[in-house]
Amino acid sequence: MAQDEMHRRRILASAAATVISLACGTNYVYSAWAPQFAERLKLTATQSNLVGLFGNLGMYSLGPLVGMFVDHPAVGSGPAVLLGAVLLGVGYFPLHRAYDGASGSVPLLCFFSYLTGMGSCLGFFAAVKVSALNWPHHRGTATAFPLAAFGLSAFFFSFLGSIFFPGDPSSFLEMLAWGTVLLTFGGFFFLKAYPHTSTYQAVPGAEPSGSARGERLRRTSSARRQQQQQQRGVFDDDPGTSNKFTTTAAHVTAEQSGPASAPVDTEDAALDESSSLMSGSSAVHHQRDANVDRYSSHHVDIRGFQLLTCLDFWQLFAIMTILAGAGLMTINNIGNNANVLWKHYDPSKSPEFLVHRQQMHVSILSIGSFVGRLLSGIGSDFIVKKLGASRVWCLASSGLIFTVAQICGLSISTPTYLFLVSSLSGVAYGLLFGVFPSIVAETFGIHGLSQNWGFMTLAPVFSSNIFNLIYGSVLDHHSVFDTGGERSCHEGLECYRSAYGVTFASCVAGVAIIVWVIRHQYVAKLKALGKANLED
């Protein structure tokens, strides 16, 4: 009975994590209200992009620090959620007041936008952490719910805004302020991590077989893991190969070393990431056929400043910089795209119609991101476990879709076809962020995943700065002052086309880097297999 009650509480905590995450993805809804906000406050396109950009900075720039804050034993998830709720309110309410008052200092607007991003980061990190802790044997599925809710946040709020406050940016901003605060604060009371009682016992002396060997390998003591790493020798020298091809030797060593009577390694048990989209029993059943990277992510441990000396880090960082930057440019400006295309295509359209179209494209982006995250999880597992290939192929898919999206951005001048830009960008962005944490865990080790992923999320900070400012400067260059003193562009596609030319060239370079990484991994695999055959 007590176990059933604990199970019910964990389900409730997962629901709370999903609700909190739903409130933490509102930075992606910026395009739904940004054009009207800029017009009312008489901001240039560059200034408007700065306001949105600082929201992204708040979400990504403090990733490593927020990760350490949430992971600290003296802090935990509860204070992080409370602080996130406060920052969301302190950020959104002044933005709402600024719109109503039709005035505001750009530095202050950027500061409040930054607070909304930082509050979102705190709440989201805490929600994902609690989900992972409560379901250690179903972590992939458990974390999929807050991840999906985060991706659907923009669609959720845009949908509510289009129904209850059509064409009313002021009420929409007020809804964002109250909605984000109430959702995070309400979820705080139910977001708790409940400890699991270990049922593992020492393995008997008889030689186990099949999946039991994989279980015993995961319970190997720290001393034995060090012995295995010494016996693997040359396989650990190259970080590009050790993370995928050292497990064969480790498995043999574990089998030859006799029965494992050491106590349970609770850290390894709690960090079982291989159960993504699988039940616990299914994971055990398929352990013999699982890809070797599943074990190697526990043996490799590269974190902190060690990343700076690792070629793999700079390869992945460059890919994230290019692709995420291109995606964020469209996410922050799809509303501007719709605005200028419709004004050029049919100047008679009302402001309410334009707001509705902006919200529609934000919703399309959000749904595309959700679909991309699901496809990346299922697709990467299929690529690794069925095809024996690298998860980086998912990045190749993302890069190619991003490239096609930039081509559409360069060529689509009819607003009725703009959905191609928003949908393709959303799917590519979801693919990118859906598979990247798994790649980081496999490459640098699962024990430092939170810290390493925090460093990796610094990449969009640089590229989104550049691409968003380029978009803003291009739009400003083509804009003129109307009779009411508002800046607007009536040239249609030419208002922003040059910006997509820059991102197209960047995405082509990103795809080239991804192809080079795949080839590098393939060559490393051949070398590692050759060394293993020589030792055999």
Side-chain angles (χ1 to χ4, degrees):
M1 186 66 66
Q3 188 175 5
D4 291 339
E5 176 64 17
M6 193 66 70
H7 185 77
R8 185 187 68 82
R9 292 181 179 180
R10 292 193 184 102
I11 292 177
L12 191 60
S14 294
T18 304
V19 170
I20 291 172
S21 298
L22 194 63
C24 292
T26 52
N27 286 110
Y28 298 135
V29 81
Y30 178 70
S31 284
W33 54 274
Q36 286 69 35
F37 188 82
E39 289 177 2
R40 185 168 176 82
L41 275 69
K42 295 180 172 54
L43 302 177
T44 66
T46 301
Q47 290 172 335
S48 177
N49 269 277
L50 277 175
V51 175
L53 179 61
F54 269 83
N56 295 332
L57 287 175
M59 187 71 200
Y60 298 116
S61 63
L62 296 181
L65 293 180
V66 170
M68 289 186 284
F69 177 77
V70 173
D71 288 340
H72 197 283
V75 179
S77 301
V81 173
L82 279 181
L83 181 57
V86 171
L87 292 178
L88 283 167
V90 174
Y92 274 122
F93 278 111
L95 292 175
H96 166 62
R97 293 283 300 272
Y99 182 87
D100 283 348
S103 64
S105 167
V106 173
L108 279 178
L109 295 176
C110 292
F111 172 71
F112 292 127
S113 180
Y114 184 88
L115 293 183
T116 64
M118 189 175 177
S120 298
C121 184
L122 282 163
F124 181 61
F125 269 51
V128 172
K129 177 187 175 183
V130 170
S131 297
L133 290 176
N134 279 333
W135 308 97
H137 303 295
H138 306 273
R139 178 164 292 138
T141 302
T143 57
F145 286 97
L147 285 170
F150 182 83
L152 283 175
S153 177
F155 167 74
F156 174 75
F157 282 98
S158 293
F159 180 73
L160 292 181
S162 64
I163 293 177
F164 297 107
F165 313 109
D168 188 357
S170 176
S171 298
F172 183 71
L173 277 171
E174 187 176 10
M175 181 190 69
L176 282 179
W178 283 109
T180 53
V181 172
L182 292 178
L183 288 176
T184 50
F185 185 72
F188 159 77
F189 295 100
F190 306 98
L191 188 73
K192 296 180 181 179
Y194 297 96
H196 285 256
T197 302
S198 177
T199 58
Y200 289 109
Q201 297 179 356
V203 180
E207 177 68 12
S209 61
S211 62
R213 291 176 179 169
E215 290 294 314
R216 189 180 65 187
L217 177 62
R218 287 172 47 224
R219 296 194 297 270
T220 304
S221 65
S222 299
R224 179 162 297 170
R225 287 202 305 270
Q226 294 175 359
Q227 178 184 0
Q228 291 170 0
Q229 290 172 355
Q230 293 173 358
Q231 292 179 0
R232 286 199 302 270
V234 69
F235 291 101
D236 286 339
D237 292 339
D238 183 1
T241 60
S242 63
N243 63 335
K244 282 183 70 69
F245 308 110
T246 60
T247 307
T248 302
H251 199 165
V252 173
T253 302
E255 290 181 355
Q256 292 177 348
S257 60
S261 58
V264 176
D265 188 343
T266 57
E267 183 181 14
D268 279 357
L271 289 168
D272 183 9
E273 291 283 345
S274 60
S275 57
S276 176
L277 301 176
M278 298 168 59
S279 66
S281 59
S282 298
V284 173
H285 179 73
H286 290 287
Q287 272 184 325
R288 292 190 66 186
D289 299 326
N291 189 271
V292 295
D293 60 17
R294 165 184 184 178
Y295 302 114
S296 60
S297 63
H298 293 273
H299 297 303
V300 178
D301 190 7
I302 303 172
R303 66 177 80 182
F305 289 107
Q306 291 178 325
L307 293 173
L308 302 180
T309 63
C310 183
L311 177 62
D312 291 337
F313 169 75
W314 292 111
Q315 292 171 347
L316 295 177
F317 193 86
I319 294 170
M320 174 66 85
T321 298
I322 293 172
L323 299 186
L328 286 172
M329 189 192 80
T330 296
I331 289 171
N332 286 345
N333 292 286
I334 191 66
N336 286 323
N337 290 7
N339 208 21
V340 299
L341 287 184
W342 275 109
K343 285 182 177 180
H344 179 73
Y345 183 77
D346 188 356
S348 65
K349 295 299 183 182
S350 65
E352 290 76 14
F353 176 87
L354 296 178
V355 171
H356 183 268
R357 285 296 178 268
Q358 292 163 198
Q359 293 174 341
M360 182 190 73
H361 285 289
V362 169
S363 298
I364 293 174
L365 268 166
S366 182
I367 294 173
S369 176
F370 169 74
V371 171
R373 290 168 192 264
L374 287 182
L375 290 177
S376 69
I378 299 172
S380 66
D381 283 346
F382 177 80
I383 289 173
V384 170
K385 296 177 182 180
K386 299 299 182 181
L387 302 182
S390 170
R391 294 185 196 271
V392 181
W393 279 107
C394 281
L395 295 184
S397 301
S398 174
L400 289 174
I401 296 174
F402 264 128
T403 304
V404 175
Q406 309 316 300
I407 295 174
C408 292
L410 279 167
S411 56
I412 291 177
S413 59
T414 304
T416 52
Y417 295 106
L418 187 61
F419 74 92
L420 292 173
V421 178
S422 52
S423 59
L424 290 174
S425 297
V427 171
Y429 196 79
L431 282 171
L432 178 69
F433 276 87
V435 75
F436 226 101
S438 297
I439 295 176
V440 171
E442 292 174 4
T443 306
F444 309 114
I446 203 170
H447 299 285
L449 174 60
S450 296
Q451 184 178 354
N452 292 341
W453 177 240
F455 278 107
M456 198 62 68
T457 56
L458 292 176
V461 173
F462 303 104
S463 54
S464 63
N465 271 333
I466 297 172
F467 292 145
N468 277 285
L469 291 178
I470 289 175
Y471 184 101
S473 63
V474 171
L475 185 55
D476 283 339
H477 179 72
H478 291 275
S479 298
V480 295
F481 285 99
D482 291 337
T483 55
E486 298 176 350
R487 296 178 64 97
S488 61
C489 180
H490 302 280
E491 299 178 16
L493 177 60
E494 294 301 320
C495 293
Y496 58 82
R497 184 176 186 179
S498 299
Y500 277 94
V502 175
T503 53
F504 169 74
S506 300
C507 287
V508 170
V511 171
I513 296 174
I514 293 171
V515 172
W516 187 87
V517 169
I518 293 174
R519 182 182 181 280
H520 171 75
Q521 287 187 349
Y522 180 73
V523 172
K525 177 179 179 179
L526 293 180
K527 290 181 180 179
L529 292 176
K531 292 178 182 178
N533 292 333
L534 288 176
E535 289 190 356
D536 291 341

